[in-house]
Amino acid sequence: GPTGTWVSGITCQNLDTVYAAEVVFEFYQEGVVTPALTYSDSIPAGGTLKYFTPSSPVGLPAPFTGAVTVSSSTALTCNVNTQANTTGSSTSPYRIGTSAGFDSAQVGPVMYLPQVIKAAGTWNSYVAVQNTTGSDVIVDVQYYNRTTGLEITAAKETLTIKANSNKMVYQASNVNLPAGFNGGAKVTAVNPNTTPLAAVVNFYNDGATYTSSQFHSYNGMASGANKVFLPRVVRRYYGYNSGITIQNVGLTETTATIDFKFKDGSTYTYTSPTILPIHSG
């Protein structure tokens, strides 16, 4: 994974505007069935709760790398920051990526990952896969070439994930995944094949200096759709540009039509080349 010391910021919002949320956080160290910490707290109606793992919640062991299950008396939304534990300098830059928590409708026995990377220039990625049940599960991680759409069968990884815990899958450590890989992946529950999983991808530049400090996080997806919405894309906006990665999770080849609609009312339509099933383009 990326160099340096890393910490997390956890924020949860109580969506109920009448009742306080009584919440229980269970922190599971990677590969361990018993919680390293069970912590109860309360969130006022409509309010938020924030933890910063170097200091809160009290009692969390250090070092800790693992997964969290949050239970609540009311509906919540949560997000997590993965961030470098540094004030930032040209040689030790500050880096941060944010992903959302998964609710029960967003997990599934298959997680699709449109973009994972191994030694693509100075970029790599890793995947955190969480078992959301109280029983162990065996999962497969499969990688797909973005040009041919074919699985790189030698790179397939089979893992056992303990109940409620997680596994970190580092693409740079997969000796059968070719250097320069920048394609799609799929995580599948094999036994039991109904086990709902959650997965988050972090991809990152090498962080050697502030010019290569990029660190990005996104949630894997349990399913696809024929139409998706992208609330914000930019092009040459104060030096910023967007990238869009599309993965075909259907059974047949397809194309994607992207309708760009700009603030000034102008539009632009782009149609992709053919995208093969389980293909990142």
Side-chain angles (χ1 to χ4, degrees), residues 7-67:
V7 297
S8 294
I10 302 171
T11 301
C12 291
Q13 181 181 17
N14 179 4
L15 301 185
D16 197 305
T17 58
V18 177
Y19 297 102
E22 304 305 324
V23 293
V24 177
F25 294 81
E26 294 179 297
F27 291 79
Y28 291 88
Q29 194 83 260
E30 180 180 3
V32 180
V33 175
T34 305
L37 175 68
T38 299
Y39 193 86
S40 298
D41 215 326
S42 182
I43 310 175
T48 60
L49 176 150
K50 296 183 179 182
Y51 294 141
F52 184 54
T53 55
S55 56
S56 59
V58 176
L60 185 64
F64 176 87
T65 301

Side-chain angles (χ1 to χ4, degrees), residues 106 142 278:
Q106 295 171 318
Q142 297 165 276
I278 308 299

Side-chain angles (χ1 to χ4, degrees), residues 89-235:
S89 68
S90 60
T91 56
S92 179
Y94 178 74
R95 302 199 276 172
I96 184 170
T98 302
S99 58
F102 286 77
D103 67 30
S104 57
Q106 295 171 318
V107 297
V110 178
M111 280 278 123
Y112 298 102
L113 314 175
Q115 184 177 18
V116 295
I117 305 168
K118 177 185 176 181
T122 55
W123 290 82
N124 279 286
S125 65
Y126 66 93
V127 183
V129 184
Q130 183 178 9
N131 175 3
T132 68
T133 73
S135 301
D136 294 0
V137 62
I138 299 171
V139 303
D140 284 341
V141 182
Q142 297 165 276
Y143 299 94
Y144 296 88
N145 185 289
R146 65 180 296 168
T147 303
T148 65
L150 299 176
E151 180 186 356
I152 304 174
T153 54
K156 178 180 176 181
E157 301 178 71
T158 299
L159 317 166
T160 298
I161 306 179
K162 294 294 185 180
N164 296 303
S165 187
N166 72 341
K167 276 280 190 180
M168 311 290 277
V169 186
Y170 299 93
Q171 280 65 68
S173 299
N174 188 326
V175 296
N176 294 314
L177 195 63
F181 178 82
N182 187 354
K186 181 174 72 169
V187 180
T188 307
V190 177
N191 186 21
N193 61 10
T194 56
T195 300
L197 307 171
V200 171
V201 178
N202 294 307
F203 63 97
Y204 55 93
N205 213 333
D206 64 6
T209 70
Y210 71 95
T211 61
S212 59
S213 63
Q214 299 86 354
F215 187 93
H216 307 280
S217 302
Y218 73 88
N219 286 12
M221 287 144 275
S223 62
N226 293 95
K227 179 182 286 188
V228 296
F229 299 93
L230 310 177
R232 184 175 185 268
V233 296
V234 296
R235 182 180 185 224

